[in-house]
Amino acid sequence: MSSDTDERLNSDLDGVDMQTLAVRAGHLRTMETEHSEPIFLTSSYVFTSAADAAARFSGEEEGNVYSRYTNPTVRTLEERMAAMEGAEQAVGMASGMAAILGVCMSLLEAGDHVVVSRSVFGTTTTVFSRYLKRFGVNTSFVDLTDFSGWQGAVTPRTKMLFAETPSNPLSEVADLRQLSQLAKSNNAFLVVDNTFCTPVLQKPIEFGADIVVHSATKYLDGQGRCMGGIVLGRSEQMKEVVAYLRATGPTLSPFNAWLILKGLETLKLRMDAHCQGAHQLAEWLLQRPKVDAVHYSGLAHHPQHALASEQQNGFGGVLSFEVSGGKAAAWRFIDATRMISITANLGDAKSTITHPATTTHGRLSQEDRDLAGIKDNLIRVAVGLESVDDLMVDLQRGLAAV
Ligand SMILES: *Cc1c(COP(=O)(O)O)cnc(C)c1O
């Protein structure tokens, strides 16, 4: 880019405030001087000669071959995410579940054993208990916060510990340093699902995690527009993940990668707002007479409040609470709200409300729900970006119906 162009672009920013500079200043453009990151909607790439094609196919020469496994827009997202998580390398995947399955398919084999926290995302449980089991990978499920349970479950065959912290919907927190030490002493990998915190609130690799996975569908996109997933870790393991992606095809669309890139530009601002809103609502709910309990790690009485304060840069945008009465009272509360969306999604600008016992955790047996602490009167709210006052008005409608 010529210095003339540089000067012109920068002079356009004269007099703008800090926030505007944070969005616009210092943006490096290609020789095409495009304003926004381009979307490379191409399935394949051309070579300069037959010899060039052969060299790129064999991997002897770096470069794009086919978008099933590399695409420049997806790579921009991978590099931005790797920088944010402090990982050597990232690999984009079609969804969060594709990312989780991808890690398992790349790094596990028949005869391996894994230890997984019981409170992981419901479909993650299905991957381990239904699918990996068929291929000879056995799983022990343990309580996220009971370290002795993790220790007791580890066997000489254990190859992977898989944790999601904080948990959904009770906001329980596992000590990542402890888990990573346990993994290392057993020559196993620690995999952390960091969807709820994003790298803005928690960087598991700093605490010793080997691999981080994300559903980019949630906060990373942040506006409920698309599906996506990311796997991050050391290059030596990510090489295996890329090889798996190349062979089996759970590819992230370049269009979705571009949406997620746009989402990342506002991630910090959004996470700050989600956390602040959730914290305010948690404190407010705690004072309401018809609320029996509030689960949010930002509250001083939360059992892992100190650990969450140390391990996370914020307590997240998801909280849950128990209303007086049982399932009927919880359903009446939910049905009385008029603005908050009744859906199990989260990480969206729009706040959502759900009844875990009959939705996200509805497939569990009563016994497993009891073990997980998911009571019939529990309601989860994933706080979006609306005004907190307006959210209170809507939740007050719910309370009035209990
Ligand atoms: C949504 C979610 C997933 C699954 O991601 P998809 O993008 O829906 O496939 C995995 N883990 C957590 C914590 C999630 O919230």
Side-chain angles (χ1 to χ4, degrees):
M1 183 186 291
S2 77
S3 58
D4 280 9
T5 317
D6 265 335
E7 203 178 340
R8 192 183 63 76
L9 289 171
N10 285 328
S11 67
D12 286 349
L13 294 180
D14 277 354
V16 302
D17 67 20
M18 179 67 90
Q19 184 67 22
T20 309
L21 285 172
V23 173
R24 286 176 170 268
H27 184 171
L28 291 175
R29 300 185 171 91
T30 72
M31 60 194 282
E32 300 292 351
T33 71
E34 71 279 359
H35 186 206
S36 172
E37 296 83 346
I39 314 179
F40 285 89
L41 288 177
T42 181
S43 56
S44 51
Y45 306 86
V46 292
F47 312 106
T48 56
S49 65
D52 180 38
R56 279 209 237 164
F57 262 82
S58 71
E60 196 182 302
E61 192 185 286
E62 294 236 332
N64 298 308
V65 172
Y66 192 49
S67 280
R68 191 193 312 120
Y69 41 101
T70 65
N71 173 279
T73 309
V74 175
R75 191 182 332 116
T76 305
L77 173 64
E78 290 167 343
E79 287 178 3
R80 193 174 292 181
M81 277 302 295
M84 292 171 76
E85 284 280 10
E88 282 179 15
Q89 198 181 329
V91 184
M93 292 276 184
S95 68
M97 290 324 303
I100 290 168
L101 180 66
V103 168
C104 296
M105 293 296 282
S106 306
L107 302 174
L108 299 175
E109 59 187 34
D112 286 343
H113 172 251
V114 290
V115 186
V116 179
S117 51
R118 202 175 276 119
S119 54
V120 290
F121 187 68
T123 315
T124 306
T125 307
T126 309
V127 166
F128 286 102
S129 60
R130 185 183 170 103
Y131 293 101
L132 290 172
K133 191 175 170 201
R134 283 194 201 160
F135 297 92
V137 173
N138 289 310
T139 304
S140 302
F141 291 98
V142 298
D143 189 316
L144 178 69
T145 58
D146 174 16
F147 185 62
S148 63
W150 287 88
Q151 284 176 307
V154 165
T155 76
R157 310 218 68 145
T158 304
K159 184 88 164 280
M160 177 189 285
L161 309 184
F162 187 107
E164 181 186 318
T165 178
S167 74
N168 171 34
L170 298 179
S171 182
E172 291 176 323
V173 179
D175 189 328
L176 289 175
R177 241 186 232 115
Q178 245 180 3
L179 288 182
S180 88
Q181 277 157 13
L182 179 64
K184 278 186 182 61
S185 63
N186 204 62
N187 280 321
F189 299 114
L190 173 62
V191 181
V192 176
D193 184 334
N194 203 28
T195 300
F196 272 60
C197 274
T198 82
V200 168
L201 301 186
Q202 174 172 274
K203 292 171 75 177
I205 290 173
E206 283 183 357
F207 295 97
D210 300 286
I211 292 172
V212 172
V213 292
H214 281 280
S215 168
T217 314
K218 313 292 166 54
Y219 292 105
L220 300 184
D221 166 50
Q223 285 134 92
R225 302 171 296 192
C226 68
M227 306 295 298
I230 314 267
V231 181
L232 304 106
R234 285 190 291 279
S235 304
E236 107 198 57
Q237 294 142 358
M238 291 308 106
K239 223 169 69 189
E240 297 296 325
V241 177
V242 172
Y244 163 82
L245 175 70
R246 182 173 181 152
T248 67
T251 306
L252 177 61
S253 145
F255 184 74
N256 290 5
W258 179 82
L259 286 171
I260 298 161
L261 274 168
K262 294 284 115 186
L264 289 183
E265 291 177 355
T266 55
L267 181 64
K268 171 78 168 69
L269 295 171
R270 289 187 286 106
M271 291 314 290
D272 288 349
H274 287 299
C275 290
Q276 207 187 331
H279 209 146
Q280 249 177 287
L281 288 178
E283 301 274 8
W284 178 78
L285 284 164
L286 206 53
Q287 307 304 320
R288 305 276 81 77
K290 289 175 188 168
V291 173
D292 293 347
V294 181
H295 305 278
Y296 185 66
S297 66
L299 297 175
H301 75 264
H302 185 280
Q304 290 96 38
H305 175 64
L307 176 60
S309 308
E310 195 244 336
Q311 193 166 275
Q312 302 172 199
N313 296 318
F315 303 105
V318 176
L319 64 108
S320 61
F321 53 96
E322 294 162 24
V323 292
S324 306
K327 176 183 131 183
W331 278 25
R332 273 201 305 277
F333 184 112
I334 291 169
D335 290 346
T337 60
R338 296 220 296 269
M339 178 179 72
I340 302 175
S341 314
I342 305 177
T343 170
N345 196 30
L346 66 111
D348 194 309
K350 296 177 174 67
S351 295
T352 68
I353 189 164
T354 192
H355 183 242
T358 52
T359 59
T360 51
H361 295 69
R363 282 165 186 242
L364 297 184
S365 65
Q366 183 69 48
E367 192 193 344
D368 283 346
R369 259 200 306 280
D370 290 344
L371 263 177
I374 311 296
K375 297 191 186 162
D376 284 347
N377 62 350
L378 185 74
I379 293 171
R380 187 197 77 182
V381 172
V383 180
L385 301 176
E386 304 94 338
S387 122
V388 177
D389 290 341
D390 292 333
L391 292 173
M392 281 176 190
V393 169
D394 211 25
L395 293 176
Q396 186 59 54
R397 291 181 185 120
L399 285 168
V402 169

